Amino acid sequence: MQTTIDRAPGDDATAILGLDGELDASNFQGVIDSASGLYAEGARRLVVDLSSLTYMSSSGLVCLHALALLFRGMPPPDPEAGWDAIHSIGLDTDAGERVAEVKLVGPQANVARVLDRTGLGRYFEVHPDRASAIASF
Amino acid sequence: MSSTLTIPGEVGRLAEVRAFVREASRGRVAPKLLEDLVCAVDEAVTNVIVHGYDGASGPIEVEVGGDSQNLEIRISDRAPRFDPTKAPEPDLSLPLERRPLGKMGVHLMREFADELRYAPRRGGGNEVTLVKRLPARGGS
């Protein structure tokens, strides 16, 4: 899998992480490390462009969860700890609240199914393109 | 008719497993269902690598078979006994956000396969079979 890193035009605090290929147990930690580096460099908002991601396993769920916590300034989660950490930051997903610091772009159908069938998808805003994701912050 | 792939239990070989399942199943199942099954197989193999062998590589055999009604994928290993069919389902009375992420692999195996079977492997280890029902072909 390839990752690309861009910045929103004129806004160094908003980073765009593009994922191209297949996200699985072999490479999800590398994505977390990339995002961690962006946060350390001062990025405080993250767009994750999934439009070229052709496959995602449950390792991708761990990864997206970790990115959400990282960009809230929290440590990455223990995979066995459940999603309480997202829950505990006060999101009321039933009322339509979503992770404010991390937005997703264009997941392909099979990636969207993994998000939907596990419930993680409801924590994130999903945008059709990078521009609308950036504009939504 | 069946096809078999044997790999060492390393996460770096997961892409090879997925490519094998896609190729061996091509034309037998609709692309959407195939991708669901590929995900279920990935989760099963990842589980063996990460939890079964627990960092110590061992062999994993993936066999794609079945008949006109079912696509069956058998994953066998020599890891300590683990029956995913007995693994507790994430408590459905709990909100999704309270289900452990580490258990989502088995959850996706169940979600994306129509049937999950387990048998201890003769000589030690495990055999997990994922079954996808094939839609009846119309016409003749």
PDB file of all heavy atoms in Angstrom, chain A residues 35-71:
ATOM      1  N   ALA A  35       0.472   9.223  10.553  1.00  0.00           N
ATOM      2  CA  ALA A  35      -0.439  10.217  11.136  1.00  0.00           C
ATOM      3  C   ALA A  35       0.150  10.802  12.411  1.00  0.00           C
ATOM      4  O   ALA A  35       0.004  12.002  12.687  1.00  0.00           O
ATOM      5  CB  ALA A  35      -1.792   9.567  11.426  1.00  0.00           C
ATOM      6  N   SER A  36       0.837   9.960  13.172  1.00  0.00           N
ATOM      7  CA  SER A  36       1.460  10.430  14.403  1.00  0.00           C
ATOM      8  C   SER A  36       2.519  11.478  14.081  1.00  0.00           C
ATOM      9  O   SER A  36       2.639  12.503  14.774  1.00  0.00           O
ATOM     10  CB  SER A  36       2.073   9.224  15.121  1.00  0.00           C
ATOM     11  OG  SER A  36       2.463   9.554  16.410  1.00  0.00           O
ATOM     12  N   GLY A  37       3.266  11.246  13.002  1.00  0.00           N
ATOM     13  CA  GLY A  37       4.271  12.216  12.573  1.00  0.00           C
ATOM     14  C   GLY A  37       3.640  13.533  12.155  1.00  0.00           C
ATOM     15  O   GLY A  37       4.153  14.616  12.470  1.00  0.00           O
ATOM     16  N   LEU A  38       2.514  13.463  11.466  1.00  0.00           N
ATOM     17  CA  LEU A  38       1.818  14.684  11.042  1.00  0.00           C
ATOM     18  C   LEU A  38       1.359  15.487  12.256  1.00  0.00           C
ATOM     19  O   LEU A  38       1.487  16.716  12.288  1.00  0.00           O
ATOM     20  CB  LEU A  38       0.611  14.322  10.170  1.00  0.00           C
ATOM     21  CG  LEU A  38       0.945  13.812   8.773  1.00  0.00           C
ATOM     22  CD1 LEU A  38      -0.290  13.213   8.106  1.00  0.00           C
ATOM     23  CD2 LEU A  38       1.515  14.934   7.925  1.00  0.00           C
ATOM     24  N   TYR A  39       0.828  14.782  13.243  1.00  0.00           N
ATOM     25  CA  TYR A  39       0.376  15.479  14.449  1.00  0.00           C
ATOM     26  C   TYR A  39       1.561  16.137  15.151  1.00  0.00           C
ATOM     27  O   TYR A  39       1.468  17.296  15.596  1.00  0.00           O
ATOM     28  CB  TYR A  39      -0.343  14.496  15.383  1.00  0.00           C
ATOM     29  CG  TYR A  39      -1.016  15.182  16.549  1.00  0.00           C
ATOM     30  CD1 TYR A  39      -2.286  15.731  16.406  1.00  0.00           C
ATOM     31  CD2 TYR A  39      -0.381  15.300  17.783  1.00  0.00           C
ATOM     32  CE1 TYR A  39      -2.905  16.375  17.471  1.00  0.00           C
ATOM     33  CE2 TYR A  39      -0.992  15.942  18.843  1.00  0.00           C
ATOM     34  CZ  TYR A  39      -2.259  16.482  18.684  1.00  0.00           C
ATOM     35  OH  TYR A  39      -2.863  17.120  19.739  1.00  0.00           O
ATOM     36  N   ALA A  40       2.677  15.402  15.216  1.00  0.00           N
ATOM     37  CA  ALA A  40       3.872  15.948  15.879  1.00  0.00           C
ATOM     38  C   ALA A  40       4.391  17.195  15.152  1.00  0.00           C
ATOM     39  O   ALA A  40       4.980  18.085  15.770  1.00  0.00           O
ATOM     40  CB  ALA A  40       4.953  14.878  15.947  1.00  0.00           C
ATOM     41  N   GLU A  41       4.126  17.248  13.831  1.00  0.00           N
ATOM     42  CA  GLU A  41       4.584  18.406  13.045  1.00  0.00           C
ATOM     43  C   GLU A  41       3.617  19.575  13.115  1.00  0.00           C
ATOM     44  O   GLU A  41       3.844  20.613  12.493  1.00  0.00           O
ATOM     45  CB  GLU A  41       4.761  17.992  11.583  1.00  0.00           C
ATOM     46  CG  GLU A  41       5.923  17.021  11.362  1.00  0.00           C
ATOM     47  CD  GLU A  41       5.888  16.392   9.976  1.00  0.00           C
ATOM     48  OE1 GLU A  41       5.043  16.811   9.144  1.00  0.00           O
ATOM     49  OE2 GLU A  41       6.689  15.477   9.731  1.00  0.00           O
ATOM     50  N   GLY A  42       2.511  19.387  13.817  1.00  0.00           N
ATOM     51  CA  GLY A  42       1.594  20.505  14.004  1.00  0.00           C
ATOM     52  C   GLY A  42       0.241  20.371  13.334  1.00  0.00           C
ATOM     53  O   GLY A  42      -0.621  21.238  13.509  1.00  0.00           O
ATOM     54  N   ALA A  43       0.035  19.301  12.571  1.00  0.00           N
ATOM     55  CA  ALA A  43      -1.295  19.113  11.975  1.00  0.00           C
ATOM     56  C   ALA A  43      -2.306  18.837  13.082  1.00  0.00           C
ATOM     57  O   ALA A  43      -2.017  18.087  14.024  1.00  0.00           O
ATOM     58  CB  ALA A  43      -1.268  17.952  10.990  1.00  0.00           C
ATOM     59  N   ARG A  44      -3.466  19.430  12.993  1.00  0.00           N
ATOM     60  CA  ARG A  44      -4.507  19.221  14.003  1.00  0.00           C
ATOM     61  C   ARG A  44      -5.820  18.748  13.387  1.00  0.00           C
ATOM     62  O   ARG A  44      -6.770  18.422  14.091  1.00  0.00           O
ATOM     63  CB  ARG A  44      -4.747  20.519  14.793  1.00  0.00           C
ATOM     64  CG  ARG A  44      -3.558  20.888  15.686  1.00  0.00           C
ATOM     65  CD  ARG A  44      -3.351  19.835  16.780  1.00  0.00           C
ATOM     66  NE  ARG A  44      -2.193  20.100  17.617  1.00  0.00           N
ATOM     67  CZ  ARG A  44      -0.961  19.616  17.406  1.00  0.00           C
ATOM     68  NH1 ARG A  44      -0.735  18.815  16.347  1.00  0.00           N
ATOM     69  NH2 ARG A  44       0.032  19.880  18.200  1.00  0.00           N
ATOM     70  N   ARG A  45      -5.880  18.730  12.065  1.00  0.00           N
ATOM     71  CA  ARG A  45      -7.046  18.198  11.370  1.00  0.00           C
ATOM     72  C   ARG A  45      -6.535  17.268  10.273  1.00  0.00           C
ATOM     73  O   ARG A  45      -5.520  17.546   9.633  1.00  0.00           O
ATOM     74  CB  ARG A  45      -7.876  19.334  10.758  1.00  0.00           C
ATOM     75  CG  ARG A  45      -8.502  20.251  11.805  1.00  0.00           C
ATOM     76  CD  ARG A  45      -9.200  21.452  11.183  1.00  0.00           C
ATOM     77  NE  ARG A  45      -8.245  22.400  10.609  1.00  0.00           N
ATOM     78  CZ  ARG A  45      -7.574  23.322  11.307  1.00  0.00           C
ATOM     79  NH1 ARG A  45      -7.758  23.446  12.598  1.00  0.00           N
ATOM     80  NH2 ARG A  45      -6.724  24.124  10.719  1.00  0.00           N
ATOM     81  N   LEU A  46      -7.255  16.170  10.072  1.00  0.00           N
ATOM     82  CA  LEU A  46      -6.774  15.161   9.131  1.00  0.00           C
ATOM     83  C   LEU A  46      -7.893  14.711   8.210  1.00  0.00           C
ATOM     84  O   LEU A  46      -8.977  14.329   8.667  1.00  0.00           O
ATOM     85  CB  LEU A  46      -6.223  13.950   9.904  1.00  0.00           C
ATOM     86  CG  LEU A  46      -5.637  12.820   9.055  1.00  0.00           C
ATOM     87  CD1 LEU A  46      -4.344  13.273   8.364  1.00  0.00           C
ATOM     88  CD2 LEU A  46      -5.369  11.582   9.912  1.00  0.00           C
ATOM     89  N   VAL A  47      -7.607  14.745   6.924  1.00  0.00           N
ATOM     90  CA  VAL A  47      -8.493  14.142   5.921  1.00  0.00           C
ATOM     91  C   VAL A  47      -7.855  12.825   5.488  1.00  0.00           C
ATOM     92  O   VAL A  47      -6.685  12.805   5.095  1.00  0.00           O
ATOM     93  CB  VAL A  47      -8.653  15.074   4.700  1.00  0.00           C
ATOM     94  CG1 VAL A  47      -9.433  14.364   3.586  1.00  0.00           C
ATOM     95  CG2 VAL A  47      -9.347  16.364   5.101  1.00  0.00           C
ATOM     96  N   VAL A  48      -8.597  11.736   5.622  1.00  0.00           N
ATOM     97  CA  VAL A  48      -8.091  10.431   5.188  1.00  0.00           C
ATOM     98  C   VAL A  48      -8.789  10.083   3.876  1.00  0.00           C
ATOM     99  O   VAL A  48      -9.996   9.833   3.857  1.00  0.00           O
ATOM    100  CB  VAL A  48      -8.342   9.340   6.246  1.00  0.00           C
ATOM    101  CG1 VAL A  48      -7.689   8.026   5.810  1.00  0.00           C
ATOM    102  CG2 VAL A  48      -7.795   9.772   7.603  1.00  0.00           C
ATOM    103  N   ASP A  49      -8.030  10.128   2.799  1.00  0.00           N
ATOM    104  CA  ASP A  49      -8.598   9.875   1.466  1.00  0.00           C
ATOM    105  C   ASP A  49      -8.555   8.376   1.193  1.00  0.00           C
ATOM    106  O   ASP A  49      -7.484   7.791   0.981  1.00  0.00           O
ATOM    107  CB  ASP A  49      -7.800  10.649   0.414  1.00  0.00           C
ATOM    108  CG  ASP A  49      -8.456  10.575  -0.964  1.00  0.00           C
ATOM    109  OD1 ASP A  49      -9.342   9.712  -1.152  1.00  0.00           O
ATOM    110  OD2 ASP A  49      -8.070  11.377  -1.833  1.00  0.00           O
ATOM    111  N   LEU A  50      -9.738   7.744   1.217  1.00  0.00           N
ATOM    112  CA  LEU A  50      -9.853   6.296   1.032  1.00  0.00           C
ATOM    113  C   LEU A  50     -10.212   5.927  -0.408  1.00  0.00           C
ATOM    114  O   LEU A  50     -10.424   4.754  -0.706  1.00  0.00           O
ATOM    115  CB  LEU A  50     -10.935   5.742   1.971  1.00  0.00           C
ATOM    116  CG  LEU A  50     -10.751   5.996   3.470  1.00  0.00           C
ATOM    117  CD1 LEU A  50     -11.983   5.500   4.240  1.00  0.00           C
ATOM    118  CD2 LEU A  50      -9.500   5.320   3.989  1.00  0.00           C
ATOM    119  N   SER A  51     -10.286   6.921  -1.288  1.00  0.00           N
ATOM    120  CA  SER A  51     -10.852   6.643  -2.618  1.00  0.00           C
ATOM    121  C   SER A  51     -10.019   5.668  -3.447  1.00  0.00           C
ATOM    122  O   SER A  51     -10.539   5.002  -4.331  1.00  0.00           O
ATOM    123  CB  SER A  51     -11.059   7.956  -3.393  1.00  0.00           C
ATOM    124  OG  SER A  51      -9.831   8.643  -3.544  1.00  0.00           O
ATOM    125  N   SER A  52      -8.726   5.545  -3.138  1.00  0.00           N
ATOM    126  CA  SER A  52      -7.891   4.578  -3.865  1.00  0.00           C
ATOM    127  C   SER A  52      -7.582   3.344  -3.030  1.00  0.00           C
ATOM    128  O   SER A  52      -6.733   2.537  -3.399  1.00  0.00           O
ATOM    129  CB  SER A  52      -6.579   5.248  -4.303  1.00  0.00           C
ATOM    130  OG  SER A  52      -6.832   6.273  -5.234  1.00  0.00           O
ATOM    131  N   LEU A  53      -8.273   3.233  -1.900  1.00  0.00           N
ATOM    132  CA  LEU A  53      -8.084   2.048  -1.056  1.00  0.00           C
ATOM    133  C   LEU A  53      -9.013   0.951  -1.566  1.00  0.00           C
ATOM    134  O   LEU A  53     -10.233   1.095  -1.543  1.00  0.00           O
ATOM    135  CB  LEU A  53      -8.405   2.381   0.406  1.00  0.00           C
ATOM    136  CG  LEU A  53      -7.971   1.330   1.427  1.00  0.00           C
ATOM    137  CD1 LEU A  53      -6.449   1.263   1.538  1.00  0.00           C
ATOM    138  CD2 LEU A  53      -8.575   1.639   2.797  1.00  0.00           C
ATOM    139  N   THR A  54      -8.438  -0.132  -2.030  1.00  0.00           N
ATOM    140  CA  THR A  54      -9.248  -1.178  -2.670  1.00  0.00           C
ATOM    141  C   THR A  54      -9.662  -2.277  -1.709  1.00  0.00           C
ATOM    142  O   THR A  54     -10.493  -3.119  -2.051  1.00  0.00           O
ATOM    143  CB  THR A  54      -8.468  -1.805  -3.839  1.00  0.00           C
ATOM    144  OG1 THR A  54      -7.202  -2.278  -3.344  1.00  0.00           O
ATOM    145  CG2 THR A  54      -8.233  -0.790  -4.944  1.00  0.00           C
ATOM    146  N   TYR A  55      -9.075  -2.254  -0.500  1.00  0.00           N
ATOM    147  CA  TYR A  55      -9.393  -3.310   0.462  1.00  0.00           C
ATOM    148  C   TYR A  55      -9.060  -2.824   1.864  1.00  0.00           C
ATOM    149  O   TYR A  55      -8.047  -2.140   2.061  1.00  0.00           O
ATOM    150  CB  TYR A  55      -8.590  -4.585   0.165  1.00  0.00           C
ATOM    151  CG  TYR A  55      -8.775  -5.644   1.214  1.00  0.00           C
ATOM    152  CD1 TYR A  55      -9.879  -6.484   1.197  1.00  0.00           C
ATOM    153  CD2 TYR A  55      -7.864  -5.780   2.257  1.00  0.00           C
ATOM    154  CE1 TYR A  55     -10.069  -7.427   2.188  1.00  0.00           C
ATOM    155  CE2 TYR A  55      -8.058  -6.714   3.258  1.00  0.00           C
ATOM    156  CZ  TYR A  55      -9.156  -7.528   3.206  1.00  0.00           C
ATOM    157  OH  TYR A  55      -9.362  -8.458   4.188  1.00  0.00           O
ATOM    158  N   MET A  56      -9.902  -3.196   2.830  1.00  0.00           N
ATOM    159  CA  MET A  56      -9.583  -2.887   4.232  1.00  0.00           C
ATOM    160  C   MET A  56     -10.110  -4.003   5.128  1.00  0.00           C
ATOM    161  O   MET A  56     -11.275  -4.379   5.042  1.00  0.00           O
ATOM    162  CB  MET A  56     -10.226  -1.558   4.649  1.00  0.00           C
ATOM    163  CG  MET A  56      -9.825  -1.118   6.047  1.00  0.00           C
ATOM    164  SD  MET A  56     -10.545   0.474   6.522  1.00  0.00           S
ATOM    165  CE  MET A  56     -12.186  -0.040   7.033  1.00  0.00           C
ATOM    166  N   SER A  57      -9.234  -4.531   5.975  1.00  0.00           N
ATOM    167  CA  SER A  57      -9.651  -5.549   6.949  1.00  0.00           C
ATOM    168  C   SER A  57      -9.929  -4.865   8.287  1.00  0.00           C
ATOM    169  O   SER A  57      -9.878  -3.637   8.402  1.00  0.00           O
ATOM    170  CB  SER A  57      -8.554  -6.605   7.115  1.00  0.00           C
ATOM    171  OG  SER A  57      -7.454  -6.052   7.820  1.00  0.00           O
ATOM    172  N   SER A  58     -10.169  -5.680   9.313  1.00  0.00           N
ATOM    173  CA  SER A  58     -10.443  -5.098  10.634  1.00  0.00           C
ATOM    174  C   SER A  58      -9.230  -4.343  11.170  1.00  0.00           C
ATOM    175  O   SER A  58      -9.377  -3.493  12.053  1.00  0.00           O
ATOM    176  CB  SER A  58     -10.884  -6.173  11.630  1.00  0.00           C
ATOM    177  OG  SER A  58      -9.837  -7.083  11.882  1.00  0.00           O
ATOM    178  N   SER A  59      -8.043  -4.624  10.625  1.00  0.00           N
ATOM    179  CA  SER A  59      -6.864  -3.836  11.020  1.00  0.00           C
ATOM    180  C   SER A  59      -7.059  -2.361  10.657  1.00  0.00           C
ATOM    181  O   SER A  59      -6.545  -1.468  11.339  1.00  0.00           O
ATOM    182  CB  SER A  59      -5.612  -4.362  10.328  1.00  0.00           C
ATOM    183  OG  SER A  59      -5.363  -5.693  10.686  1.00  0.00           O
ATOM    184  N   GLY A  60      -7.796  -2.113   9.586  1.00  0.00           N
ATOM    185  CA  GLY A  60      -8.091  -0.743   9.189  1.00  0.00           C
ATOM    186  C   GLY A  60      -8.987  -0.042  10.190  1.00  0.00           C
ATOM    187  O   GLY A  60      -8.898   1.183  10.380  1.00  0.00           O
ATOM    188  N   LEU A  61      -9.848  -0.821  10.869  1.00  0.00           N
ATOM    189  CA  LEU A  61     -10.703  -0.229  11.899  1.00  0.00           C
ATOM    190  C   LEU A  61      -9.855   0.243  13.069  1.00  0.00           C
ATOM    191  O   LEU A  61     -10.070   1.330  13.615  1.00  0.00           O
ATOM    192  CB  LEU A  61     -11.725  -1.259  12.393  1.00  0.00           C
ATOM    193  CG  LEU A  61     -12.619  -1.917  11.350  1.00  0.00           C
ATOM    194  CD1 LEU A  61     -13.477  -2.989  12.014  1.00  0.00           C
ATOM    195  CD2 LEU A  61     -13.491  -0.882  10.673  1.00  0.00           C
ATOM    196  N   VAL A  62      -8.896  -0.609  13.447  1.00  0.00           N
ATOM    197  CA  VAL A  62      -7.977  -0.236  14.527  1.00  0.00           C
ATOM    198  C   VAL A  62      -7.230   1.039  14.142  1.00  0.00           C
ATOM    199  O   VAL A  62      -7.044   1.957  14.945  1.00  0.00           O
ATOM    200  CB  VAL A  62      -6.986  -1.384  14.806  1.00  0.00           C
ATOM    201  CG1 VAL A  62      -5.964  -0.970  15.870  1.00  0.00           C
ATOM    202  CG2 VAL A  62      -7.722  -2.640  15.255  1.00  0.00           C
ATOM    203  N   CYS A  63      -6.825   1.092  12.874  1.00  0.00           N
ATOM    204  CA  CYS A  63      -6.075   2.234  12.367  1.00  0.00           C
ATOM    205  C   CYS A  63      -6.909   3.522  12.426  1.00  0.00           C
ATOM    206  O   CYS A  63      -6.456   4.541  12.965  1.00  0.00           O
ATOM    207  CB  CYS A  63      -5.670   1.921  10.929  1.00  0.00           C
ATOM    208  SG  CYS A  63      -4.743   3.228  10.139  1.00  0.00           S
ATOM    209  N   LEU A  64      -8.124   3.491  11.921  1.00  0.00           N
ATOM    210  CA  LEU A  64      -8.967   4.701  11.909  1.00  0.00           C
ATOM    211  C   LEU A  64      -9.299   5.144  13.328  1.00  0.00           C
ATOM    212  O   LEU A  64      -9.350   6.346  13.620  1.00  0.00           O
ATOM    213  CB  LEU A  64     -10.241   4.442  11.106  1.00  0.00           C
ATOM    214  CG  LEU A  64     -10.043   4.261   9.599  1.00  0.00           C
ATOM    215  CD1 LEU A  64     -11.372   3.918   8.924  1.00  0.00           C
ATOM    216  CD2 LEU A  64      -9.432   5.497   8.959  1.00  0.00           C
ATOM    217  N   HIS A  65      -9.520   4.172  14.184  1.00  0.00           N
ATOM    218  CA  HIS A  65      -9.773   4.492  15.585  1.00  0.00           C
ATOM    219  C   HIS A  65      -8.572   5.215  16.176  1.00  0.00           C
ATOM    220  O   HIS A  65      -8.712   6.244  16.862  1.00  0.00           O
ATOM    221  CB  HIS A  65     -10.043   3.185  16.334  1.00  0.00           C
ATOM    222  CG  HIS A  65     -10.429   3.369  17.767  1.00  0.00           C
ATOM    223  ND1 HIS A  65     -10.436   2.331  18.649  1.00  0.00           N
ATOM    224  CD2 HIS A  65     -10.827   4.455  18.459  1.00  0.00           C
ATOM    225  CE1 HIS A  65     -10.817   2.770  19.840  1.00  0.00           C
ATOM    226  NE2 HIS A  65     -11.062   4.049  19.749  1.00  0.00           N
ATOM    227  N   ALA A  66      -7.376   4.690  15.875  1.00  0.00           N
ATOM    228  CA  ALA A  66      -6.152   5.297  16.405  1.00  0.00           C
ATOM    229  C   ALA A  66      -5.984   6.726  15.882  1.00  0.00           C
ATOM    230  O   ALA A  66      -5.586   7.628  16.627  1.00  0.00           O
ATOM    231  CB  ALA A  66      -4.943   4.449  16.024  1.00  0.00           C
ATOM    232  N   LEU A  67      -6.292   6.944  14.594  1.00  0.00           N
ATOM    233  CA  LEU A  67      -6.158   8.292  14.025  1.00  0.00           C
ATOM    234  C   LEU A  67      -7.112   9.276  14.720  1.00  0.00           C
ATOM    235  O   LEU A  67      -6.746  10.428  14.991  1.00  0.00           O
ATOM    236  CB  LEU A  67      -6.439   8.287  12.522  1.00  0.00           C
ATOM    237  CG  LEU A  67      -5.589   7.357  11.641  1.00  0.00           C
ATOM    238  CD1 LEU A  67      -5.798   7.675  10.173  1.00  0.00           C
ATOM    239  CD2 LEU A  67      -4.122   7.429  11.995  1.00  0.00           C
ATOM    240  N   ALA A  68      -8.323   8.801  14.998  1.00  0.00           N
ATOM    241  CA  ALA A  68      -9.291   9.671  15.672  1.00  0.00           C
ATOM    242  C   ALA A  68      -8.770  10.089  17.039  1.00  0.00           C
ATOM    243  O   ALA A  68      -8.891  11.264  17.433  1.00  0.00           O
ATOM    244  CB  ALA A  68     -10.635   8.944  15.812  1.00  0.00           C
ATOM    245  N   LEU A  69      -8.174   9.142  17.756  1.00  0.00           N
ATOM    246  CA  LEU A  69      -7.656   9.472  19.089  1.00  0.00           C
ATOM    247  C   LEU A  69      -6.421  10.357  18.995  1.00  0.00           C
ATOM    248  O   LEU A  69      -6.281  11.322  19.758  1.00  0.00           O
ATOM    249  CB  LEU A  69      -7.331   8.190  19.851  1.00  0.00           C
ATOM    250  CG  LEU A  69      -8.529   7.311  20.205  1.00  0.00           C
ATOM    251  CD1 LEU A  69      -8.083   6.101  21.000  1.00  0.00           C
ATOM    252  CD2 LEU A  69      -9.574   8.095  20.987  1.00  0.00           C
ATOM    253  N   LEU A  70      -5.534  10.035  18.058  1.00  0.00           N
ATOM    254  CA  LEU A  70      -4.308  10.829  17.897  1.00  0.00           C
ATOM    255  C   LEU A  70      -4.618  12.301  17.695  1.00  0.00           C
ATOM    256  O   LEU A  70      -4.001  13.179  18.302  1.00  0.00           O
ATOM    257  CB  LEU A  70      -3.523  10.331  16.678  1.00  0.00           C
ATOM    258  CG  LEU A  70      -2.521   9.210  16.901  1.00  0.00           C
ATOM    259  CD1 LEU A  70      -2.062   8.645  15.559  1.00  0.00           C
ATOM    260  CD2 LEU A  70      -1.326   9.736  17.691  1.00  0.00           C
ATOM    261  N   PHE A  71      -5.603  12.560  16.827  1.00  0.00           N
ATOM    262  CA  PHE A  71      -5.892  13.955  16.481  1.00  0.00           C
ATOM    263  C   PHE A  71      -6.764  14.644  17.532  1.00  0.00           C
ATOM    264  O   PHE A  71      -7.071  15.817  17.400  1.00  0.00           O
ATOM    265  CB  PHE A  71      -6.462  14.053  15.064  1.00  0.00           C
ATOM    266  CG  PHE A  71      -5.342  14.120  14.061  1.00  0.00           C
ATOM    267  CD1 PHE A  71      -4.607  12.993  13.753  1.00  0.00           C
ATOM    268  CD2 PHE A  71      -4.975  15.326  13.480  1.00  0.00           C
ATOM    269  CE1 PHE A  71      -3.528  13.048  12.881  1.00  0.00           C
ATOM    270  CE2 PHE A  71      -3.907  15.398  12.603  1.00  0.00           C
ATOM    271  CZ  PHE A  71      -3.185  14.258  12.297  1.00  0.00           C
TER     272      PHE A  71
END
